[in-house]
Amino acid sequence: MEPNLYIDTRGKAPRPVAFTEAVVAGLAPGGGLYVPQRIPQLTMDQILSLAGMPYAQRAALVYRAFEVDLPDDEVQRLMERAYGANFDTPDICPVTSLDASTHVLELWHGPTSAFKDMALQCLPRFFSASVGKLKAQGALDNDFLILVATSGDTGKAALEGFRDVDHVSVGVLFPDGGVSDIQRKQMVTQAGRNVRVWGVRGNFDDCQTGVKQVFSDAAFAEQLMAGSKTALSSANSINWGRLMPQIVYYLSSYAQLASQGKVAAGDPIDVCVPTGNFGNILAAYYAKRMGCPIEMLYCASNENRVLTDFINTGTYDISQRAFVLTPSPSMDILVSSNLERQLFELSGRDAAAIAGWMADLNESKRFRVDERVFARLRETYRAESVSNDDCLAAIKEVHDEHGYLMDPHTAVAWRAGERLRGGNPLLVASTAHWAKFGANVYRALHGIPAGEALPADAAALTGCQLNELIARETSSSIPLGLARLDSLPVRFSEVIDGTADAIRTAASEFSNDMARRA
């Protein structure tokens, strides 16, 4: 069998590339995304066997199924480093059952208390190994700048994952005023010799659009290479190396549920995911394609309901859509990058159709898929949006009924799943620890409407102090990495415009500074 290479969703890459090349490049030439030529199939016995392995071994098995072009023993070593003592439980991502048919997949036990750790403790290690392999082959001799647009959680996870990695620097852009106080502090206090953080005037879509424009600027790439011998790459979920680790935890969670007798082996479950950039739910789709008995995927949106409207109508339209700030800021996204991969799969891998739809989105801010693709979308997906106040009500309701404290993103998924579910067991993806969003959790527990100011005594507290108050009131615990943020010095305070020109200038200055220090 030929090796499993990676192809471009828009058909503009000159040739298929190996896994290591796809990871290092991040984005395909012309703005497309890499996907594997073949989606491997696992038998039910193989999926069930995952429950008897440490998580690192489960991840290595899935990577081997995709035929990554690294030795099996190296893959195993990298996974052991990615999923070990850096997580606060040996289970890595445990499943908590709130009743006989509703289960919560906790993806926030890593060092930054968000689901992005599941991929960004893995990607940097595979990125570094990929660079090493390509350098040994003489295929490259440059360093890399990882440029990341974040709606809150990816930025900190990327900074933590890539800090002090040789031959790599990482720059993160976040919407100034568009992330929680805890998320902001996590980023601006980040340690490491090779990291930089900028606030951006605008929203997440401004950050993401500006970064994409920089990535597609061939002249800037040449300038960066000439000036500091540095190439750009990505740690956002546009990078297949970010997406693939997420497939693992859906396969793993099914094996866990089956081993505990909470689902009969081979029986279907439904999965509900709070969704902004479409990467996390797309990973569940790929797990389904690999043989995991997932019947329906429930896409949970907040008031930025572009994905819900698309799944319900087949039209993706942001031409007149207002951007809404919500209690779940990591989902405050209007341009969902990974939807491109999903449409590529549903269209029968029609690169010309994808290129056309993405051009329509870029030019007119809308596109409509054909009836065949829409019908295939509806075979697997249902979608629901949740209002700001209903999100907060769900946090209180679940805590009152089950003694379980959710963050606002998980609450969106909980409420959407509650409305959409049928007769199958439901797995809700829990994407962050509640303490990352303490102000809105406090609002939820105290019946304060979304957007309303906190009472003076609570408003006077820092994010860490407010979390301590919530923990006392609910007998909950706070991860150490979040509890000590107030004691850390702020290293980064620069705020820039969200234009491609401003991002190019910031990236160039950072890259040149790193080159001078090398």
Side-chain angles (χ1 to χ4, degrees):
M1 182 182 288
E2 293 295 318
N4 197 0
L5 300 178
Y6 287 75
I7 57 176
D8 169 16
T9 53
R10 301 186 192 181
K12 297 180 181 180
R15 61 178 176 81
V17 301
F19 170 82
T20 50
E21 294 174 271
V23 167
V24 168
L27 198 65
L33 307 181
Y34 283 117
V35 296
Q37 286 180 325
R38 295 187 305 277
I39 308 302
Q41 299 298 298
L42 298 180
T43 66
M44 183 51 56
D45 284 344
Q46 286 176 307
I47 293 172
L48 297 176
S49 73
L50 297 175
M53 307 174 187
Y55 190 86
Q57 194 173 335
R58 301 177 196 181
L61 183 149
V62 174
Y63 269 52
R64 286 194 295 272
F66 276 95
E67 303 169 82
V68 299
D69 57 321
L70 292 168
D72 287 354
D73 59 346
E74 183 174 12
V75 171
Q76 182 64 41
R77 285 197 304 273
L78 293 171
M79 290 304 186
E80 288 171 355
R81 292 171 190 160
Y83 304 113
N86 47 338
F87 284 73
D88 65 18
T89 170
D91 294 332
I92 305 301
C93 52
V95 176
T96 296
S97 298
L98 300 192
D99 59 41
S101 63
T102 309
H103 315 284
V104 179
L105 173 58
E106 295 180 348
L107 298 170
W108 37 260
H109 288 273
T112 77
S113 303
F115 83 103
K116 304 297 174 72
D117 289 326
M118 296 300 300
L120 282 165
Q121 287 298 298
C122 183
L123 171 61
R125 291 166 169 84
F126 279 85
F127 190 97
S128 182
S130 297
V131 169
K133 176 174 179 174
L134 294 173
K135 284 195 172 190
Q137 294 173 340
L140 60 84
D141 63 353
N142 54 272
D143 288 344
F144 287 88
L145 169 58
I146 307 290
L147 205 56
V148 179
T150 184
S151 55
D153 289 332
T154 292
K156 172 60 179 179
L159 291 163
E160 189 65 28
F162 280 100
R163 75 167 178 172
D164 297 328
V165 172
D166 290 337
H167 305 297
V168 179
S169 51
V170 55
V172 168
L173 302 103
F174 70 92
D176 187 41
V179 300
S180 76
D181 179 59
I182 292 291
Q183 287 176 311
R184 182 188 63 80
K185 285 177 178 174
Q186 282 188 297
M187 289 184 279
V188 300
T189 61
Q190 176 66 46
R193 57 177 170 76
N194 62 335
V195 301
R196 190 70 55 89
V197 178
W198 304 277
V200 170
R201 299 180 189 96
N203 57 43
F204 171 73
D205 286 322
D206 297 321
C207 296
Q208 181 166 251
T209 299
V211 167
K212 283 184 174 180
Q213 290 172 346
V214 170
F215 269 101
S216 61
D217 185 340
F220 180 67
E222 291 179 11
Q223 173 192 328
L224 205 60
M225 186 64 75
S228 58
K229 213 169 185 182
T230 299
L232 289 173
S233 191
S234 171
N236 283 87
S237 55
I238 56 176
N239 190 320
W240 178 258
R242 244 290 301 278
L243 186 67
M244 197 157 83
Q246 297 177 265
I247 300 171
V248 178
Y249 52 68
Y250 290 109
L251 293 162
S252 170
S253 61
Y254 186 86
Q256 287 177 258
L257 288 171
S259 72
Q260 296 165 4
K262 294 174 181 176
V263 60
D267 281 0
I269 64 170
D270 298 327
V271 175
C272 190
V273 185
T275 310
N277 221 14
F278 210 78
N280 200 357
I281 199 166
L282 179 63
Y285 166 83
Y286 279 120
K288 174 183 171 79
R289 284 277 304 274
M290 291 179 71
C292 190
I294 297 171
E295 185 168 339
M296 294 301 298
L297 293 170
Y298 298 140
C299 177
S301 300
N302 60 22
E303 290 190 9
N304 292 294
R305 49 173 292 143
V306 62
L307 284 168
T308 291
D309 290 341
F310 171 70
I311 290 169
N312 289 337
T313 68
T315 298
Y316 196 102
D317 191 348
I318 59 171
S319 59
Q320 303 296 321
R321 190 179 294 268
F323 186 94
V324 183
L325 293 176
T326 74
S328 47
S330 296
M331 299 162 63
D332 290 349
I333 296 171
L334 296 182
V335 180
S336 301
S337 294
N338 263 295
L339 185 62
E340 179 170 340
R341 281 190 174 106
Q342 182 65 83
L343 295 178
F344 185 69
E345 301 294 354
L346 296 178
S347 68
R349 300 194 151 197
D350 186 342
I354 300 305
W357 290 330
M358 294 304 105
D360 288 346
L361 182 61
N362 185 55
E363 293 163 11
S364 61
K365 306 302 180 187
R366 72 186 304 276
F367 67 88
R368 179 169 179 81
V369 298
D370 59 63
E371 291 304 316
R372 180 178 63 94
V373 169
F374 181 56
R376 294 193 67 187
L377 180 71
R378 296 292 297 176
E379 288 172 3
T380 297
Y381 285 92
R382 293 290 183 271
E384 180 65 86
S385 66
V386 175
S387 71
N388 290 347
D389 286 330
D390 205 10
C391 163
L392 299 188
I395 293 174
K396 180 169 175 53
E397 179 183 309
V398 172
H399 185 259
D400 288 348
E401 292 181 7
H402 301 282
Y404 189 84
L405 195 54
M406 292 178 165
D407 90 292
H409 304 78
T410 309
V412 167
W414 175 275
R415 184 67 86 209
E418 187 180 55
R419 294 173 183 166
L420 293 167
R421 69 183 302 168
N424 293 333
L426 178 67
L427 182 69
V428 175
S430 179
T431 54
H433 190 279
W434 65 263
K436 296 199 75 166
F437 306 96
N440 280 307
V441 171
Y442 185 89
R443 286 186 179 90
L445 296 174
H446 291 266
I448 302 168
E452 186 172 308
L454 295 177
D457 55 346
L461 302 176
T462 67
C464 292
Q465 292 168 336
L466 186 61
N467 282 343
E468 290 172 3
L469 175 60
I470 296 167
R472 289 195 300 271
E473 290 179 346
T474 60
S475 300
S476 302
S477 60
I478 303 169
L480 180 61
L482 301 183
R484 63 183 184 133
L485 282 173
D486 279 350
S487 66
L488 300 179
V490 172
R491 295 186 63 202
F492 307 106
S493 58
E494 185 177 3
V495 179
I496 65 173
D497 290 333
T499 64
D501 281 345
I503 295 171
R504 273 189 290 264
T505 297
S508 182
E509 290 175 352
F510 176 36
S511 181
N512 290 335
D513 183 45
M514 290 300 300
R516 284 192 296 270
R517 285 195 259 160

